[in-house]
Structures are given as C-alpha cells and as structure tokens.
C-alpha cells in the first residue's frame, strides 16, 4: 500500500487469479497503525481467500460495486474474538457466531465496536457445485463480531454467500443502495439497535429472508426492494418457509414504501411489534408451493402487535397455489392473517387494499385455519 493523506491505496494484482489477501490486509493494517482512515481499492477483481479483518476506524472504499470486486473462492476461516450478543436462530441458524469465521469481510473494533464505512465495492463468493445455489463456499459476505456505531454501508453488492450481511447490534448508522443476491439469507440485524436507516436496498434471488430485523428500535426502513425469493428453480428443496421482510421485537420503527415481487413465501411479517408504523408498502405476485405447516400471507403476525398503525398497504395478484407451479394447501394461504388475536391491541388497520387474489384467498384473524372472516 502507499498513502496519500488519510487514504492508503492497495498495491495488489487485482486480476482475479492471484491471491491478494495479504496485500489488502497489509493496507488495512497500515492505515490502522497510522490512526485510521480509508483503504481504497482501484478498479480490478481481487481474489481474497483469507477473511479480511477491518478494525475500528478503518474504512474500505472501491471504485463502484461492479468496478472493484473482492472475490473469495475458498472455505478458509480465520479466528476472531466474538463480542456481540449471540444471534437468534432466525438470523443465523446455528444460533451464535463461531470463533472462526469463513467470511469475506469481518468488522472488528476496540471494545467490540466498529465505526467506519464500506462503500462502492462488490463482494463475491463462489459455488462448490455449478448451478447449485445452496452450495456457497463462503458463509458470510460481511459479518460484525461486535456492535456497529456511526457505520455506513453504501453502494455495495454481496453475491453468492450463505449469509449476505449479519449485524448483531447497530446504532446511528446508514445502510443504503446495496444489492444482495443469490444468498441463502439476505440482510439480518439482531440485538438491541437504534436510530438506523435502511433504505433503497435490493435483495433478490435469496432463499430464507430478504430483510430480517430484530429489536431494531426508533429506526426507518423505507424504499427497499425484494424479489424472486425462494424460487424452486434456484432452491428446489423447499424445506424452509421464506419471508421478504420481518420485524421482530421492534419498537417505534417505521417501515414504509417498500416493495416485494414474485416471492415464494410470506411478505411482511410482524412478531412482537409495538408502536410501529407500517404504511405504503406494496406486494406483487406473492405465493408459495410450500407444503409445511406455516401460514403464508401478505401481512402476517403471530404474536403481540400493539399500538401499531398498518395502513395504505397494497397487494396485487396473490397466487395461493404458487407463482408458477402449485402444491401447497390453499387453506394455509391468506391475504392478512393474525394468529393469536388476543395480543392485537390498539391497532389502527385501515385502507389496506387487496386486488386480484386468485381462488378467493381469505382475509382472516384468529388461531390456525379455523377462523372467522372480518
């Protein structure tokens, strides 16, 4: 690396063949030793088969997500000290991060907190088996082992990793203009987090979720897009239900002007939400051929939903038998479904429009499938 001001430029091959892990890490360490700053990757494809350790105060910037690409083509791991709150099963299936991580970038920091940014980069994993979209060699695109504060992730892409971006705790941060594709799991935020804006991102061709937020309080989620999740052509095993957007244990968070198209699974899922506003969200072409026991719905809640406002949301062309091919029990498919309605209190639910629902998918509230229409 060589330095100009507070910017260090990576001196690496960047041909996608030579392993540039050491050169990129050397630039990161150089800036860290100098007291922080920016590591810049010029145009090129950088093979980086060892996870990169990005410490507090060091930012990583490229020349555009299609211009500066970091690619990992291995299952190589690296040891890290985990300081984050253990993750729940829905965000990360094993339940807690391992001490060795197979990732492209790992965010670390003094005292377990990282402050900095990642901008204008493409991050790519690879497949063990060609055309098998559940055989990603890399587990994480970006993962934080501690909390994030005053963090920015902007104009980056994450492709073909098992988990796109896993964040245990985040404060006063911005996640915008990013794309997550061909991952088993998209963007997941867990732990008590506040004052964060997640907007204008795009998740597509993922499997289990596009966006999953737990305990994200007093925050904004708006203008995001999500489509073609859990498609049989890419994920044929059909063993897990899928949700485009999930709010779990959130307080005072606003979700607005988000969109979903052509997803096999649930759309907007709300679990234990209090004083949240959900408005002006759009669904086009939701459906599922899932044959398990979970309910599928445009708007779905199976636990407390109190003092919330749900209004002006729109669903068009719901297909209960699946988007392209069928197989699911039609009784599991609903437009709007509240399970455990005794937990729904002080709920403003108005002007939510459902249009062109095939075979009369019901609007229901109650327990299970034997419920009244309202």
């Amino acid at each position: 690396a060589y330095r100009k001001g507070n910017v260090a430029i990576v001196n690496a091959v960047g041909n996608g063949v030579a392993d540039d892990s050491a050169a990129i890490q050397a630039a990161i360490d150089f800036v860290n030793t100098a007291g922080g700053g920016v590591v810049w990757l010029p145009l090129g494809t950088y093979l980086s088969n060892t996870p990169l350790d990005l410490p507090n105060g060091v930012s990583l910037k490229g020349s555009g997500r299609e211009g500066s690409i970091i690619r990992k083509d291995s299952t190589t791991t690296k040891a890290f000290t985990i300081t984050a709150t253990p993750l729940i099963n829905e965000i990360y299936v094993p339940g807690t991060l391992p001490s060795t991580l197979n990732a492209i970038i790992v965010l670390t920091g003094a005292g377990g907190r990282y402050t900095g940014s990642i901008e204008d980069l493409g991050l790519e994993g690879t497949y063990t088996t060609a055309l098998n979209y559940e055989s990603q060699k890399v587990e994480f695109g970006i993962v934080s082992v501690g909390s994030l504060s005053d963090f920015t992730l902007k104009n980056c892409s994450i492709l073909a990793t098992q988990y796109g971006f896993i964040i245990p705790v985040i404060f006063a941060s911005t996640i915008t203009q990013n794309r997550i594709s061909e991952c088993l799991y998209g963007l997941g935020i867990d732990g008590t987090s506040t004052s964060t804006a997640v907007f204008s991102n795009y998740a597509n061709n993922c499997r289990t979720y596009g966006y999953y937020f737990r305990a994200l309080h007093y925050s904004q989620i708006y203008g995001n897009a999500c489509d073609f999740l859990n498609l049989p052509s890419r994920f044929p095993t059909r063993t897990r239900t899928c949700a485009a957007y999930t709010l779990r244990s959130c307080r005072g968070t606003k979700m607005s002007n988000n969109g979903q198209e052509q997803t096999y699974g649930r759309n907007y899922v709300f679990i234990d939400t209090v004083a949240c506003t959900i408005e002006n969200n759009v669904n086009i072409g939701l459906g599922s051929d899932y044959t398990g026991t979970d309910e599928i719905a445009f708007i779905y809640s199976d636990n407390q939903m109190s003092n919330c406002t749900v209004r002006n949301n729109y669903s068009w062309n719901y297909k209960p038998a699946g988007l392209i091919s069928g197989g699911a029990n039609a009784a599991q498919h609903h437009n709007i479904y509240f399970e455990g309605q005794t937990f729904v209190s002080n709920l403003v639910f108005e002007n939510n429009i459902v249009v062109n629902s095939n075979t009369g998918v019901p609007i229901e509230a109650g327990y299970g499938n034997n419920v009244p229409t309202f």
Side-chain angles (χ1 to χ4, degrees):
Y2 59 94
R3 186 178 181 88
K4 182 178 180 181
N6 69 336
V7 177
I9 302 175
V10 173
N11 184 14
V13 178
N15 64 1
V17 178
D19 193 337
D20 291 319
S21 304
I24 299 173
Q25 190 64 58
I28 293 171
D29 295 343
F30 177 69
V31 172
N32 185 41
T33 301
V38 179
V39 173
W40 181 58
L41 274 73
L43 292 171
T45 297
Y46 301 86
L47 184 66
S48 181
N49 277 334
T50 301
L52 298 172
D53 182 350
L54 197 62
N56 181 47
V58 179
S59 297
L60 195 57
K61 184 174 177 60
S63 302
R65 63 189 184 195
E66 296 179 354
S68 300
I69 298 171
I70 301 176
R71 178 177 296 153
K72 190 172 190 290
D73 185 22
S74 77
T75 57
T76 303
T77 61
K78 189 174 180 179
F80 292 90
T81 300
I82 307 300
T83 59
T85 302
L87 305 177
I88 62 173
N89 188 57
E90 288 84 353
I91 294 288
Y92 179 59
V93 173
T96 186
L97 291 176
S99 58
T100 58
L101 295 172
N102 172 16
I104 299 176
I105 296 175
V106 180
L107 303 176
T108 61
R113 177 171 294 187
Y114 172 85
T115 296
S117 65
I118 303 174
E119 300 182 47
D120 302 316
L121 280 174
L123 305 177
E124 295 183 0
T126 50
Y127 296 103
T128 302
T129 305
L131 301 180
N132 182 342
Y133 294 97
E134 294 181 312
S135 67
Q136 293 91 339
K137 291 182 182 180
V138 182
E139 189 169 18
F140 304 99
I142 303 174
V143 60
S144 175
V145 300
S147 62
L148 305 183
S149 176
D150 301 281
F151 168 76
T152 298
L153 180 69
K154 182 178 181 181
N155 194 36
C156 293
S157 64
I158 303 175
L159 173 69
T161 63
Q162 293 176 34
Y163 294 84
F165 189 15
I166 294 291
I167 312 167
V169 182
I170 189 167
F171 303 96
S173 298
T174 300
I175 300 172
T176 183
Q177 300 174 34
N178 304 290
R179 177 171 181 163
I180 302 176
S181 302
E182 297 181 21
C183 299
L184 301 184
Y185 308 81
L187 169 65
I189 296 178
D190 188 20
T192 303
S193 304
T194 62
S195 307
T196 291
V198 181
F199 64 97
S200 301
N201 300 285
Y202 178 39
N204 79 314
N205 286 311
C206 296
R207 187 191 68 181
T208 307
Y209 58 76
Y211 307 91
Y212 198 110
F213 307 101
R214 188 184 78 89
L216 180 62
H217 305 326
Y218 330 126
S219 297
Q220 298 272 346
I221 303 164
Y222 63 93
N224 300 286
C226 187
D227 63 19
F228 298 105
L229 299 189
N230 203 27
L231 294 187
S233 60
R234 291 183 178 270
F235 308 110
T237 55
R238 327 300 293 137
T239 57
R240 296 179 67 88
T241 189
C242 172
Y245 300 84
T246 298
L247 288 187
R248 183 184 186 119
S249 302
C250 294
R251 307 289 184 262
T253 291
K254 184 176 183 179
M255 174 183 281
S256 64
N257 300 96
N258 301 284
Q260 180 285 134
E261 294 188 25
Q262 312 301 328
T263 285
Y264 270 75
R266 296 170 178 166
N267 195 348
Y268 300 99
V269 176
F270 308 104
I271 304 170
D272 184 25
T273 51
V274 175
C276 292
T277 299
I278 299 101
E279 62 183 8
N280 302 326
N281 300 288
V282 174
N283 159 63
I284 300 175
L286 185 72
S288 181
D289 60 355
Y290 177 69
T291 56
T293 59
D294 292 319
E295 307 296 328
I296 305 296
F298 158 48
I299 296 176
Y300 173 91
S301 178
D302 71 355
N303 205 322
Q304 177 177 240
M305 194 174 187
S306 62
N307 294 85
C308 291
T309 298
V310 182
R311 64 188 175 198
N312 300 338
N313 300 289
Y314 179 87
S315 177
W316 180 78
N317 200 21
Y318 191 118
K319 299 181 179 180
L323 298 172
I324 302 171
S325 59
N329 177 4
Q332 292 177 238
H333 290 262
H334 315 271
N335 281 308
I336 298 160
Y337 187 84
F338 294 147
E339 182 178 359
Q341 60 187 7
T342 57
F343 294 99
V344 178
S345 61
N346 297 327
L347 174 67
V348 176
F349 192 91
E350 62 184 11
N351 203 39
N352 298 289
I353 307 299
V354 176
V355 180
N356 193 26
S357 291
N358 296 351
T359 66
V361 179
I363 299 176
E364 297 182 336
Y367 297 91
N369 291 320
N370 183 21
V371 294
T373 298
F374 73 93

mmCIF file of all heavy atoms in Angstrom, residues 327-342:
data_model
loop_
_atom_site.group_PDB
_atom_site.id
_atom_site.type_symbol
_atom_site.label_atom_id
_atom_site.label_comp_id
_atom_site.label_asym_id
_atom_site.label_seq_id
_atom_site.Cartn_x
_atom_site.Cartn_y
_atom_site.Cartn_z
ATOM 1 N N GLY A 327 -48.944 -26.820 -5.318
ATOM 2 C CA GLY A 327 -48.632 -27.917 -4.431
ATOM 3 C C GLY A 327 -48.954 -27.650 -2.982
ATOM 4 O O GLY A 327 -49.098 -28.568 -2.200
ATOM 5 N N ALA A 328 -49.067 -26.384 -2.615
ATOM 6 C CA ALA A 328 -49.338 -26.066 -1.214
ATOM 7 C C ALA A 328 -50.824 -26.184 -0.905
ATOM 8 O O ALA A 328 -51.672 -26.126 -1.787
ATOM 9 C CB ALA A 328 -48.852 -24.649 -0.906
ATOM 10 N N ASN A 329 -51.126 -26.354 0.361
ATOM 11 C CA ASN A 329 -52.501 -26.388 0.827
ATOM 12 C C ASN A 329 -53.073 -24.976 0.772
ATOM 13 O O ASN A 329 -52.588 -24.066 1.436
ATOM 14 C CB ASN A 329 -52.518 -26.922 2.265
ATOM 15 C CG ASN A 329 -53.905 -26.933 2.855
ATOM 16 O OD1 ASN A 329 -54.893 -26.616 2.195
ATOM 17 N ND2 ASN A 329 -53.984 -27.301 4.119
ATOM 18 N N ALA A 330 -54.100 -24.771 -0.019
ATOM 19 C CA ALA A 330 -54.671 -23.431 -0.192
ATOM 20 C C ALA A 330 -55.173 -22.861 1.131
ATOM 21 O O ALA A 330 -55.231 -21.649 1.309
ATOM 22 C CB ALA A 330 -55.788 -23.458 -1.214
ATOM 23 N N ALA A 331 -55.542 -23.727 2.078
ATOM 24 C CA ALA A 331 -56.036 -23.243 3.366
ATOM 25 C C ALA A 331 -54.950 -22.539 4.169
ATOM 26 O O ALA A 331 -55.245 -21.835 5.127
ATOM 27 C CB ALA A 331 -56.599 -24.411 4.171
ATOM 28 N N GLN A 332 -53.686 -22.732 3.803
ATOM 29 C CA GLN A 332 -52.599 -22.065 4.510
ATOM 30 C C GLN A 332 -52.342 -20.655 3.980
ATOM 31 O O GLN A 332 -51.534 -19.931 4.554
ATOM 32 C CB GLN A 332 -51.301 -22.870 4.359
ATOM 33 C CG GLN A 332 -51.301 -24.209 5.068
ATOM 34 C CD GLN A 332 -50.010 -24.949 4.802
ATOM 35 O OE1 GLN A 332 -50.023 -26.051 4.301
ATOM 36 N NE2 GLN A 332 -48.893 -24.332 5.132
ATOM 37 N N HIS A 333 -52.999 -20.283 2.909
ATOM 38 C CA HIS A 333 -52.696 -19.011 2.252
ATOM 39 C C HIS A 333 -53.738 -17.967 2.604
ATOM 40 O O HIS A 333 -54.937 -18.216 2.536
ATOM 41 C CB HIS A 333 -52.625 -19.217 0.743
ATOM 42 C CG HIS A 333 -51.434 -19.999 0.320
ATOM 43 N ND1 HIS A 333 -50.291 -19.403 -0.156
ATOM 44 C CD2 HIS A 333 -51.186 -21.334 0.332
ATOM 45 C CE1 HIS A 333 -49.399 -20.334 -0.431
ATOM 46 N NE2 HIS A 333 -49.918 -21.514 -0.139
ATOM 47 N N HIS A 334 -53.260 -16.791 2.961
ATOM 48 C CA HIS A 334 -54.136 -15.719 3.413
ATOM 49 C C HIS A 334 -53.623 -14.398 2.876
ATOM 50 O O HIS A 334 -52.434 -14.236 2.602
ATOM 51 C CB HIS A 334 -54.168 -15.653 4.941
ATOM 52 C CG HIS A 334 -54.307 -16.984 5.593
ATOM 53 N ND1 HIS A 334 -55.518 -17.557 5.873
ATOM 54 C CD2 HIS A 334 -53.359 -17.877 5.992
ATOM 55 C CE1 HIS A 334 -55.321 -18.755 6.428
ATOM 56 N NE2 HIS A 334 -54.028 -18.959 6.509
ATOM 57 N N ASN A 335 -54.506 -13.447 2.728
ATOM 58 C CA ASN A 335 -54.061 -12.088 2.444
ATOM 59 C C ASN A 335 -53.520 -11.448 3.708
ATOM 60 O O ASN A 335 -52.396 -10.980 3.762
ATOM 61 C CB ASN A 335 -55.215 -11.259 1.884
ATOM 62 C CG ASN A 335 -55.454 -11.541 0.418
ATOM 63 O OD1 ASN A 335 -54.530 -11.479 -0.382
ATOM 64 N ND2 ASN A 335 -56.680 -11.873 0.063
ATOM 65 N N ILE A 336 -54.339 -11.425 4.763
ATOM 66 C CA ILE A 336 -53.962 -10.798 6.025
ATOM 67 C C ILE A 336 -54.299 -11.785 7.136
ATOM 68 O O ILE A 336 -55.429 -12.272 7.208
ATOM 69 C CB ILE A 336 -54.708 -9.472 6.224
ATOM 70 C CG1 ILE A 336 -54.312 -8.491 5.103
ATOM 71 C CG2 ILE A 336 -54.403 -8.874 7.592
ATOM 72 C CD1 ILE A 336 -55.274 -7.365 4.897
ATOM 73 N N TYR A 337 -53.322 -12.096 7.971
ATOM 74 C CA TYR A 337 -53.517 -13.173 8.929
ATOM 75 C C TYR A 337 -52.917 -12.791 10.276
ATOM 76 O O TYR A 337 -51.722 -12.516 10.392
ATOM 77 C CB TYR A 337 -52.849 -14.449 8.419
ATOM 78 C CG TYR A 337 -53.135 -15.673 9.249
ATOM 79 C CD1 TYR A 337 -54.294 -16.408 9.058
ATOM 80 C CD2 TYR A 337 -52.246 -16.097 10.228
ATOM 81 C CE1 TYR A 337 -54.562 -17.544 9.810
ATOM 82 C CE2 TYR A 337 -52.503 -17.221 10.990
ATOM 83 C CZ TYR A 337 -53.659 -17.942 10.784
ATOM 84 O OH TYR A 337 -53.912 -19.053 11.529
ATOM 85 N N PHE A 338 -53.762 -12.757 11.309
ATOM 86 C CA PHE A 338 -53.310 -12.544 12.677
ATOM 87 C C PHE A 338 -53.582 -13.830 13.450
ATOM 88 O O PHE A 338 -54.724 -14.241 13.591
ATOM 89 C CB PHE A 338 -54.055 -11.386 13.345
ATOM 90 C CG PHE A 338 -53.784 -10.041 12.741
ATOM 91 C CD1 PHE A 338 -54.766 -9.073 12.715
ATOM 92 C CD2 PHE A 338 -52.547 -9.755 12.203
ATOM 93 C CE1 PHE A 338 -54.516 -7.824 12.145
ATOM 94 C CE2 PHE A 338 -52.290 -8.522 11.648
ATOM 95 C CZ PHE A 338 -53.278 -7.551 11.618
ATOM 96 N N GLU A 339 -52.534 -14.441 13.946
ATOM 97 C CA GLU A 339 -52.686 -15.644 14.758
ATOM 98 C C GLU A 339 -52.383 -15.264 16.200
ATOM 99 O O GLU A 339 -51.308 -14.748 16.496
ATOM 100 C CB GLU A 339 -51.727 -16.742 14.290
ATOM 101 C CG GLU A 339 -51.873 -18.026 15.079
ATOM 102 C CD GLU A 339 -50.953 -19.116 14.557
ATOM 103 O OE1 GLU A 339 -50.226 -18.864 13.582
ATOM 104 O OE2 GLU A 339 -50.968 -20.204 15.140
ATOM 105 N N GLY A 340 -53.322 -15.518 17.078
ATOM 106 C CA GLY A 340 -53.177 -15.063 18.457
ATOM 107 C C GLY A 340 -53.712 -13.653 18.589
ATOM 108 O O GLY A 340 -53.035 -12.747 19.043
ATOM 109 N N GLN A 341 -54.981 -13.471 18.188
ATOM 110 C CA GLN A 341 -55.524 -12.125 18.091
ATOM 111 C C GLN A 341 -55.695 -11.442 19.445
ATOM 112 O O GLN A 341 -55.866 -10.229 19.505
ATOM 113 C CB GLN A 341 -56.856 -12.151 17.360
ATOM 114 C CG GLN A 341 -57.924 -13.004 18.024
ATOM 115 C CD GLN A 341 -59.162 -13.109 17.153
ATOM 116 O OE1 GLN A 341 -59.169 -12.667 16.029
ATOM 117 N NE2 GLN A 341 -60.219 -13.704 17.688
ATOM 118 N N THR A 342 -55.641 -12.177 20.555
ATOM 119 C CA THR A 342 -55.740 -11.533 21.859
ATOM 120 C C THR A 342 -54.547 -10.625 22.126
ATOM 121 O O THR A 342 -54.596 -9.779 23.013
ATOM 122 C CB THR A 342 -55.828 -12.582 22.979
ATOM 123 O OG1 THR A 342 -54.686 -13.436 22.900
ATOM 124 C CG2 THR A 342 -57.090 -13.408 22.849
#
